[in-house]
Amino acid sequence: KQEPALVLSGEAARKKLLETKECVRCDLRGVNLDGVDISGADIRSATLRGASLRNTTMTNADLRWASLRHANFGTFGNLFGFEIGWDKADLEGAKFCNTTMPDGSINNRDC
């Protein structure tokens, strides 16, 4: 019988993500990731509900099945080139202001 994978949360999950650019199924709820570059990170099925992602670069991050509900991309978030799983991420209630979207457009919905 296979044991379930260990799910990291909070600051331990943040530390792993920043050090390895991988944190599958991590609980990053409410974590501050302002200004970091997590381009190419594998954060499939992670929970980033309410996370602060202002001025965060996520180019080519894999967010398939990730929950970004109520995440704050704030001013100058950069999702340009983010193609992996964008259509499968849960973005309900996410906040965008001067955020570069995957297609290069600027989203000012919540300014």
Side-chain angles (χ1 to χ4, degrees):
K1 184 176 178 181
Q2 187 175 0
E3 293 295 316
L6 175 65
V7 177
L8 294 176
S9 63
E11 284 305 309
R14 181 183 189 279
K15 182 178 178 183
K16 179 179 182 186
L17 175 61
L18 295 179
E19 289 177 359
T20 68
K21 296 225 177 176
E22 180 182 347
C23 207
V24 176
R25 296 186 58 216
C26 285
D27 183 351
L28 293 155
R29 230 178 311 208
V31 169
N32 183 331
L33 293 168
D34 291 348
V36 300
D37 182 351
I38 52 174
S39 296
D42 184 355
I43 39 184
R44 290 171 287 142
S45 300
T47 299
L48 290 111
R49 292 179 182 196
S52 186
L53 300 164
R54 288 175 270 210
N55 203 24
T56 300
T57 302
M58 302 174 78
T59 306
N60 294 321
D62 187 344
L63 285 166
R64 284 178 282 182
W65 306 286
S67 175
L68 292 152
R69 286 180 175 226
H70 305 285
N72 186 355
F73 290 93
T75 304
F76 305 114
N78 186 358
L79 304 173
F80 183 69
F82 175 15
E83 299 171 2
I84 306 169
W86 180 251
D87 60 335
K88 292 178 176 49
D90 181 359
L91 294 163
E92 184 177 317
K95 294 179 175 70
F96 300 97
C97 179
N98 202 17
T99 304
T100 305
M101 301 305 284
D103 63 2
S105 66
I106 302 297
N107 187 338
N108 285 313
R109 181 182 75 193
D110 301 302
C111 289

